[in-house]
Amino acid sequence: MIVTAVSASAVHNMRKPVQNSIQLIAGLGVQGDAHCGTTVKHRSRVARDPTAPNLRQVHLVHCELHDELRAAGFDIKPGDMGENITTRGIDLLGLPQGTQLAIGKTCVIDVTGLRNPCMQLDDLAHGLMAATLDRDSEGRLIRKAGIMAVVRRGGVVTAGDAITITLPVGEARALQPV
């Protein structure tokens, strides 16, 4: 389980340029990223309630999704879907709410929920939003566009950093969109 890329952008764009490293700040998110802060920064959520807590400080996408999308004909690279951290070897979507991910030497983030794919994905490539959605055998919607987290303990994250998973104690709660 490893970080394959890190990305950040000071402006609200879908694509975030890949960086050599990112600095996570406890309780805030990625230093210098447009979504850094204690309250919501995603524009649609700010419009609804600008005082709501920011449960979307860090966006993670598994590069296995990038592989799947490339196989379907989409030219997707790390950071293209707005993620801050691209991972390999973790079933991000299968993690329960409250899972802690220790990244590198010092960082710890708490998983808060799923990213709900939005129409901005289609600005990258026609049909991309639909490609990040699926249905399970019972017809329930599967959102594949990654997960969101908050920063518990900060530090520097770089490609190649190991990731360790600590599952929450008690009953596992499936991730819901945040």
Side-chain angles (χ1 to χ4, degrees):
M1 298 176 285
I2 195 166
V3 173
T4 60
V6 294
S7 306
S9 176
V11 296
H12 286 276
N13 288 332
M14 178 59 70
R15 286 188 167 112
K16 294 185 181 207
V18 171
Q19 309 289 318
N20 290 328
S21 65
I22 56 173
Q23 176 79 34
L24 300 186
I25 304 169
L28 295 175
V30 179
Q31 182 176 3
D33 192 81
H35 298 104
C36 186
T38 58
T39 58
V40 292
K41 301 301 177 199
H42 288 75
R43 291 178 285 194
S44 63
R45 285 166 173 75
V46 169
R48 280 183 274 177
D49 181 2
T51 66
N54 187 2
L55 301 177
R56 300 167 58 107
Q57 295 175 359
V58 181
H59 177 201
L60 296 91
V61 168
H62 47 298
C63 67
E64 291 85 354
L65 175 61
H66 292 171
D67 297 343
E68 176 185 327
L69 293 170
R70 276 193 299 279
F74 296 97
D75 181 24
I76 299 298
K77 298 175 285 310
D80 282 355
M81 295 177 60
E83 74 270 20
N84 301 111
I85 299 175
T86 311
T87 67
R88 182 167 294 281
I90 302 173
D91 177 13
L92 293 176
L93 306 178
L95 296 174
Q97 183 182 8
T99 297
Q100 288 189 348
L101 301 177
I103 305 172
K105 295 178 182 168
T106 62
C107 297
V108 177
I109 61 175
D110 294 339
V111 175
T112 56
L114 294 170
R115 175 193 183 192
N116 199 24
C118 66
M119 291 303 296
Q120 290 179 335
L121 289 171
D122 281 346
D123 292 340
L124 298 177
H126 179 72
L128 183 57
M129 180 177 158
T132 64
L133 298 169
D134 206 350
R135 297 273 176 188
D136 68 13
S137 61
E138 297 177 15
R140 292 180 297 234
L141 186 63
I142 299 171
R143 295 165 176 89
K144 301 188 290 186
I147 64 170
M148 308 307 282
V150 295
V151 181
R152 175 180 292 267
R153 190 170 63 225
V156 175
V157 178
T158 62
D161 281 349
I163 303 171
T164 304
I165 299 171
T166 302
L167 297 173
V169 176
E171 185 178 339
R173 293 183 314 244
L175 296 177
Q176 299 299 317
V178 294

